[in-house]
Amino acid sequence: MRYSLPLLLLLSLSACRSSGAGEPAERAVPAANAADAAAYGRYEEPVVMRIGFKVPDSRLTTGDSNDNNPISRYLESLTNIRVIHSWEAKGEEPFTQKAQLAIDSNDLPDAMVVDRDQLSKLISSDMIEDLTDTYEQYGSGLIKDMYDSTHGEALADAQRGGRLYGLPNVAIHADSTSLLWVRQDWLDRLELPAPRTLGDIEAIARAFIDKDPDGNGKRDTVGISAYKNIVYGTKPYVNGLDAVFSAFHSFPTNWIKDSSGNVVYGSVTPETRKALGQLAAWYKQGLIDPEFALYKETQEPIIAGKAGIFFGPWWMPFYPLSEAVAQDTKAEWRAYAAPLDESGKFVAHIAPVTDRYLVVRKGYEHPEAVVKLLNVFTRLERRRDPNVEEVGKLDDFAAQTGIQPRAYYPFDLLIDYSDAIEKHYADIQQALHGKIDPDALDPDTRLIYDRWLAEEEQPKKNLEGWKAANAYKYGVAVLSTTAVEGVRSVYYGSTMHMAAKWPALQKLESETFLNIIVGDAPLSSFDEFTVKWMSMGGGQITREVTQIVNIREAESKQDNSSSQ
């Protein structure tokens, strides 16, 4: 199971209220200004909206249902929009499949969230509403500000011919980077230096295996924890080895430009061969967990306290580290910008600014209702909702059940400022050093600040607070103080021949990578793989992507020259 920031971000995870003064859930929030009247105005007569719903992992135990619970009832009370689930699917892949079935059968709900390829299909088939004017009239100031933080990229990604056909999510910039997370208490016990290079990671992994870092007298710890599919590619998650590839300037599963300016598929480059060689050597030496490909859930050895090294984004304290620390409160985890490349730079792939889109069925009578719902639950998620008493009840519900409101928003589409995480950290540092009044912090940041202070006063007493404090104190701190050399993909989405050929190419790639790393195939098999990949359709697809990229770049140059 993959865990992502939208599922784990602190703003609702730490929603349970304390009785202390100044708690953000109790802090007054300015009411919407006149410009937001249309955005938050309540319908006089009920409006019905049928949606496709992604069922969360959390389970309601209060006698409520997926479409009738404290969150859905609150949103309906604000909007008078009655949301009905036309269909439900649990998990990202089943939801995508069900959405695709709805598209293929031309049986769309009134609104649902789709991926990039599905958006293109819906636009070309004239199946969804043009939301340009609806968004302009009904989009809240908060939503518009967040989209503006991407400098127009997010909305442009959902446009065709200058018209807006979907409301995109906004990728948090900080989520792109995979950091090295290390058991600091083990590192200190063995008197090892902080890791920077591939060699440092190798030395630490060997020591964590051989020198009994947990002090139990048993040889029961592993080196580097890993993900059975090796890399995540677009955006990092738990145990992905993307950072090792990045240190070799390799970017598997992404379309990039090589040193000559040619569009190439990152999985078939010489740099990827080198990275696989490094990983195969580590595995052969036993430095990578020998059982990494066998775990049902990749985070198992981390939670069990067997692993002391793994790669993951800044929010790892939310999960799985919160579970690991709950099992062993002596565990101390720290993040490092490692490994560096040969020249001492920290390189990372930069995720796309958006990858999901909220669309409205062509002919739905109230497209503005979809925008209104997005306005309302985004305001709630970002702690800007002025209805303090009602929000407090939702906070209490979250504290009592462990179910966060976002799990039952009608759409799995969270929006924030693209630089929100770094901005929170910078403002917290200003407050901690007395340069700004904590009361001047926005509600999101003040919530993190309060958790930070509480954790410092009583470490690990409240794991909800521990999650936020450690994610920012260590994960975001590293991102905010490290010069990251970001590499962006030049293309996302499908081409004419991808639908037929891509599944077989992906299978070939994943099998080749895994076999090389675990020693079932020699490194030289990578050369055979690249030839086979090209002959099975990869070469044809590369030419298609190159043509698309060249056309887009030419159009962009033309637009820039026209605007000057």
Side-chain angles (χ1 to χ4, degrees), residues 519-549:
D520 288 346
L523 182 59
S524 60
S525 68
F526 180 83
D527 304 325
E528 301 165 13
F529 154 69
T530 59
V531 173
K532 190 173 183 180
W533 187 88
M534 296 294 284
S535 66
M536 286 175 59
Q540 185 178 39
I541 292 170
T542 299
R543 290 189 291 273
E544 290 175 341
V545 173
T546 299
Q547 183 178 19
I548 294 170
V549 171

Side-chain angles (χ1 to χ4, degrees), residues 80-158:
N80 207 14
I81 300 169
R82 173 62 176 147
V83 175
I84 297 173
H85 295 180
S86 288
W87 49 261
E88 298 180 346
K90 186 171 184 177
E92 188 169 343
E93 187 172 339
F95 180 87
T96 300
Q97 292 172 347
K98 207 143 189 181
Q100 189 63 48
L101 179 62
I103 294 169
D104 294 341
S105 61
N106 196 17
D107 186 21
L108 300 182
D110 298 328
M112 66 177 179
V113 174
V114 300
D115 63 24
R116 179 176 279 103
D117 290 338
Q118 291 169 338
L119 175 68
S120 295
K121 168 69 173 176
L122 289 165
I123 294 173
S124 62
S125 302
D126 194 27
M127 295 172 69
I128 52 176
E129 286 285 334
D130 178 341
L131 298 176
T132 310
D133 298 333
T134 304
Y135 166 73
E136 186 59 37
Q137 181 176 352
Y138 291 95
S140 69
L142 180 62
I143 292 283
K144 290 178 178 178
D145 282 348
M146 289 175 176
Y147 283 148
D148 287 346
S149 75
T150 71
H151 306 290
E153 286 188 56
L155 291 179
D157 207 37

Side-chain angles (χ1 to χ4, degrees), residues 389-442:
E389 183 177 350
E390 293 302 316
V391 172
K393 292 177 182 178
L394 292 182
D395 288 345
D396 291 339
F397 171 79
Q400 292 162 9
T401 64
I403 295 172
Q404 302 307 319
R406 73 165 61 86
Y408 291 95
Y409 295 160
F411 308 112
D412 182 19
L413 193 93
L414 296 186
I415 301 175
D416 203 344
Y417 295 97
S418 62
D419 62 347
I421 306 305
E422 297 92 339
K423 184 68 164 59
H424 292 327
Y425 178 80
D427 288 348
I428 288 169
Q429 291 302 304
Q430 293 281 305
L432 290 172
H433 291 89
K435 295 183 179 179
I436 60 175
D437 187 337
D439 288 336
L441 297 172
D442 66 68

